[in-house]
Amino acid sequence: MASLRIDVMRMVRRNKLVGMWAAEKLALAEENAKAYSDELARGAVDVNRNDILAIIRRDFDAAGVDQSDEDILAVMNVCWLEAGNQTETSDASDGALVQIARNLVK
């Protein structure tokens, strides 16, 4: 059960990080950016709202933000690694993976 709790917390953290990135791309003001990322974070535990790729894709398309699905997925992967780095079970290899993923995204 502890592993499931850690995975859920990691997903929430990942969604929050991705939400902040997406909010920046959407040019949302500070309070709106926080609300947007919080909403994506809450979606991690809601089956009807947990497809954040589809949510971000829809929002980007509506706002005219030019980002491919591959770009969004790359950011999601980096954020997943960063979120894992924030858990008590992370180790040095997680940090190395984050750095590798960052280099791949650049």
Side-chain angles (χ1 to χ4, degrees):
M1 274 313 238
S3 177
L4 177 60
R5 184 184 64 77
I6 290 169
D7 287 346
V8 169
M9 290 307 298
R10 185 176 186 182
M11 183 73 69
V12 169
R13 285 187 192 110
R14 190 269 324 248
N15 286 10
K16 177 83 171 161
L17 293 169
V18 173
M20 290 305 292
W21 170 82
E24 181 181 329
K25 295 292 183 187
L26 292 165
L28 297 177
E30 189 173 324
E31 286 301 313
N32 290 336
K34 184 178 179 329
Y36 185 83
S37 66
D38 287 348
E39 184 63 25
L40 288 180
R42 282 190 291 278
V45 293
D46 182 345
V47 172
N48 296 318
R49 296 183 301 157
N50 69 358
D51 186 357
I52 68 166
L53 174 61
I55 293 167
I56 293 171
R57 169 85 281 134
R58 179 195 68 218
D59 294 344
F60 279 8
D61 288 347
V65 175
D66 184 28
Q67 293 285 313
S68 69
D69 286 353
E70 291 77 18
D71 293 337
I72 298 168
L73 287 169
V75 170
M76 290 172 64
N77 287 335
V78 168
C79 291
W80 176 257
L81 294 171
E82 287 179 12
N85 206 26
Q86 296 172 5
T87 65
E88 67 257 14
T89 61
S90 64
D91 60 20
S93 65
D94 284 340
L97 289 173
V98 169
Q99 189 58 45
I100 290 167
R102 284 182 182 151
N103 290 337
L104 290 173
V105 172
K106 290 182 181 177

